[in-house]
Amino acid sequence: MSTPRAVTAATTAATDPDIAPAIVFDRVGVSYGRGRKATVALADFSLRVAAGETVALLGPSGSGKSTALRALAGFVRPTAGRVRLAGRDVTGTSPAARGIGVVVQSYALFPHLRVFDNVAFGLRSHRVPRREIGARVAEALEMVGMTGYERRLPRELSGGQQQRVAIARALAIRPPVLLLDEPLAALDAQLRQSMLTELQQLRKALPDTAMLYVTHDQAEALALADRIAVMRDARLVDVDTAENLWRRPPSSFTAAFLGGANLLPGSVKHVSGTAAFVAVGELTLRAEAPKPGVGQLEWKPDDDGMLCVRPHTVRLCPVGERESLRATVISGVWRGATTRLVLDVDGLPVDLTADLPGQLDTTPGAVVGVHLPDPAGVLIPAAVGAA
């Protein structure tokens, strides 16, 4: 996992009512069909993105993230709400008139056009003077490391090179807003990592461009985004900085989806500041207890909650070691750098997942000792929260 960045000036600007954001979704809804048979693809979606900020729309398939991007690009017409770019209402504006750069998973390059003409396509559509096109194409290709490939056809390029050309085509028009819809999903693991590094460098080269990045991959979202908007069932669940969502997830869905956390149901016994002791099964564990949010100012005794324990914080030890718990291995899967174990821990009401470094020769049924961190994790509300 990449180290989360600090809150940027652009992120702060996104919530400042005195600064016109680059992107505004104002209670946007998209439905297909009518009446009871209508399919809701996006419901009551509101989000602001500042100039220079990168926001990732993160969620499983069918969560509404691509629909939100398509509504912003003008590819679908919202059935409710408004879409604004730099304060201008573009809800009914054609895609070409919005001046947005769009990069999709399938690259969508014209197979009969060479790289130069693919990148120049948007410039010609925007009626950029012919004398400027060559310099603009060269500038965009240099930004993505594709200088020297101008005369090649798409079929003569690798998948990663085709994706770079698609990004160059989007950048050539110098858009104030860049939309990326699962841009790395079609690449193999090695190419994906390489392109992720390229996108990180691209963000630094475009300090005034607002980016909306659609992905179902949490590693991409954490590496690239200033803020992450977590989506589920066509709705926005949570939105915050990448670091806050990782360290203090506000809902059980975000905790589980962003990092695959263990969620242990418990009841608060005692609270002191932002720490609490929580009864989880037969055990009492210390937890971080940030404020749960609007409507509940602070945790109090007998509140129900979920203890979010990250798998990488669990470690094994000899059975009987001081302050350890006894556990039985249910299953184990070696994943290269780590081994993922599922454990039945004495005193816990649910199984515990642990990600341990290296390859472990632990067979199902083996009895091991387990250490939980102190504090064991973060206390979050028991119910799935809405943004």
Side-chain angles (χ1 to χ4, degrees), residues 13 16-24 48-51 86-87:
D16 189 334
D18 296 326
I19 300 176
I23 301 168
V24 172
R48 293 160 58 102
V49 182

Side-chain angles (χ1 to χ4, degrees), residues 315 317-325 369-372:
R315 69 178 182 88
C317 63
V319 177
E321 185 172 289
R322 185 183 177 187
E323 297 183 351
S324 69
L325 303 172
V370 171
H371 264 301
L372 295 179

Side-chain angles (χ1 to χ4, degrees), residues 177-229:
V177 172
L178 181 62
L179 310 182
L180 301 105
D181 191 1
E182 304 267 13
L184 310 184
L187 305 179
D188 61 42
Q190 186 173 358
L191 270 178
R192 191 179 302 121
Q193 184 58 47
S194 175
M195 280 301 301
L196 192 59
T197 301
E198 296 284 345
L199 288 173
Q200 288 175 320
Q201 294 173 351
L202 185 64
R203 288 185 68 247
K204 296 177 182 178
L206 300 169
D208 298 322
T209 301
M211 294 190 191
L212 198 63
Y213 189 98
V214 168
T215 184
H216 63 272
D217 188 311
Q218 59 160 324
E220 291 178 21
L222 289 169
L224 290 172
D226 298 302
R227 288 188 299 150
I228 298 175

Side-chain angles (χ1 to χ4, degrees), residues 71-143:
L72 179 59
F75 300 151
V76 297
R77 179 72 181 265
T79 50
R82 314 303 295 175
V83 176
R84 297 183 180 88
L85 292 171
R88 179 170 62 103
D89 190 331
V90 296
T91 310
T93 305
S94 69
R98 300 189 183 198
I100 293 176
V102 182
V103 180
V104 297
Q105 176 182 338
S106 61
Y107 318 142
L109 299 178
F110 298 108
H112 62 290
L113 297 181
R114 299 188 184 276
V115 166
F116 182 95
D117 294 311
N118 264 288
V119 176
F121 183 84
L123 296 171
R124 290 170 179 149
S125 299
H126 284 75
R127 301 185 184 279
V128 173
R130 183 179 300 178
R131 62 181 180 276
E132 295 182 20
I133 289 178
R136 296 273 289 271
V137 170
E139 176 188 52
L141 289 174
E142 184 180 5
M143 290 185 73

Side-chain angles (χ1 to χ4, degrees), residues 100-380:
I100 293 176
V102 182
V103 180
V104 297
Q105 176 182 338
S106 61
Y107 318 142
L109 299 178
F110 298 108
H112 62 290
L113 297 181
R114 299 188 184 276
V115 166
F116 182 95
D117 294 311
N118 264 288
V119 176
F121 183 84
L123 296 171
R124 290 170 179 149
S125 299
H126 284 75
R127 301 185 184 279
V128 173
R130 183 179 300 178
R131 62 181 180 276
E132 295 182 20
I133 289 178
R136 296 273 289 271
V137 170
E139 176 188 52
L141 289 174
E142 184 180 5
M143 290 185 73
V144 298
M146 288 296 289
T147 299
Y149 290 82
E150 291 86 350
R151 301 304 301 164
R152 295 199 188 184
L153 291 166
R155 66 173 179 268
E156 298 171 330
L157 304 175
S158 69
Q161 289 170 335
Q162 290 182 49
Q163 190 62 287
R164 286 186 176 93
V165 173
I167 294 172
R169 181 176 59 187
L171 294 177
I173 63 172
R174 297 174 181 170
V177 172
L178 181 62
L179 310 182
L180 301 105
D181 191 1
E182 304 267 13
L184 310 184
L187 305 179
D188 61 42
Q190 186 173 358
L191 270 178
R192 191 179 302 121
Q193 184 58 47
S194 175
M195 280 301 301
L196 192 59
T197 301
E198 296 284 345
L199 288 173
Q200 288 175 320
Q201 294 173 351
L202 185 64
R203 288 185 68 247
K204 296 177 182 178
L206 300 169
D208 298 322
T209 301
M211 294 190 191
L212 198 63
Y213 189 98
V214 168
T215 184
H216 63 272
D217 188 311
Q218 59 160 324
E220 291 178 21
L222 289 169
L224 290 172
D226 298 302
R227 288 188 299 150
I228 298 175
V230 180
M231 301 188 68
R232 179 191 190 189
D233 297 334
R235 292 182 177 274
L236 182 63
V237 177
D238 293 308
V239 58
D240 206 336
T241 64
E243 182 174 4
N244 283 347
L245 289 184
W246 174 265
R247 295 185 183 280
R248 294 175 292 278
S251 70
S252 56
F253 177 78
T254 295
F257 192 81
L258 192 64
N262 293 286
L263 296 173
L264 311 180
S267 177
V268 176
K269 296 185 67 175
H270 175 71
V271 180
S272 177
T274 57
F277 288 92
V278 184
V280 180
E282 300 173 10
L283 305 175
T284 298
L285 302 172
R286 193 163 72 93
E288 295 180 54
K291 294 180 180 180
V294 177
Q296 190 175 2
L297 297 180
E298 59 184 12
W299 291 99
K300 55 185 183 298
D302 298 325
D303 278 347
D304 290 330
M306 303 287 286
L307 186 58
C308 167
V309 181
R310 296 292 182 186
H312 72 276
T313 65
V314 180
R315 69 178 182 88
L316 297 188
C317 63
V319 177
E321 185 172 289
R322 185 183 177 187
E323 297 183 351
S324 69
L325 303 172
R326 180 185 174 92
T328 302
V329 177
I330 298 175
S331 64
V333 177
W334 180 47
R335 309 170 89 184
T338 61
T339 297
R340 169 157 288 194
L341 295 183
V342 178
L343 304 166
D344 179 5
V345 180
D346 291 356
L348 291 184
V350 295
D351 296 337
L352 190 73
T353 298
D355 286 337
L356 302 156
Q359 183 176 11
L360 300 181
D361 187 22
T362 304
T363 56
V367 177
V368 296
V370 171
H371 264 301
L372 295 179
D374 183 27
V378 179
L379 189 62
I380 61 177

